[in-house]
Amino acid sequence: MTNEGKEIIRDTALLERASTLFDRFGDYVPLTIAFLNHWPTEIKFYPEFVVGNAWKVFLSFGLYQLAAFALRRAVKFAKSDLVP
């Protein structure tokens, strides 16, 4: 195997590890941001939910879940391309 092939495999393994960590701990990022910005993180009634900033936390959860899914698919795609 050439040096370039080894680098690609190493980079793909690094992306897979980063994707796994992001998938495992990515949900904590919106909570940490919410805590640092003093956003409400408890469940509220609908009028308070819309008027306040609590919807941002739930939206962040959804976006981070989509990002984790995209990373998993990217790793799967990259690994399938390397298989002879």
Side-chain angles (χ1 to χ4, degrees), residues 39-40 42 48-61:
W39 290 350
E42 67 274 355
E48 295 174 11
F49 179 76
V50 173
V51 173
N53 290 325
W55 62 273
K56 293 178 184 177
V57 176
F58 294 108
L59 179 64
S60 297
F61 275 133

Side-chain angles (χ1 to χ4, degrees), residues 20-42:
T20 303
L21 285 173
F22 185 79
D23 195 23
R24 188 178 300 160
F25 299 112
D27 290 340
Y28 294 116
V29 173
L31 281 179
T32 304
I33 293 170
F35 178 75
L36 293 175
N37 287 333
H38 305 290
W39 290 350
T41 53
E42 67 274 355

Side-chain angles (χ1 to χ4, degrees), residues 1 4 11 19 22 30 33-34 59:
M1 183 171 277
E4 184 178 314
D11 291 344
S19 172
F22 185 79
I33 293 170
L59 179 64

Side-chain angles (χ1 to χ4, degrees), residues 19 22 64-77:
S19 172
F22 185 79
Y64 275 83
Q65 287 298 320
L66 285 174
F69 174 73
L71 277 173
R72 282 193 308 269
R73 295 291 295 166
V75 167
K76 185 176 178 181
F77 179 75

Side-chain angles (χ1 to χ4, degrees), residues 6-8 10 12 14 16 23 27-28 38 45-46 54-55 69 74-75:
K6 289 179 184 177
E7 283 184 33
I8 291 172
R10 184 183 48 125
T12 304
L14 183 63
E16 184 176 15
D23 195 23
D27 290 340
Y28 294 116
H38 305 290
F45 292 113
Y46 182 75
W55 62 273
F69 174 73
V75 167

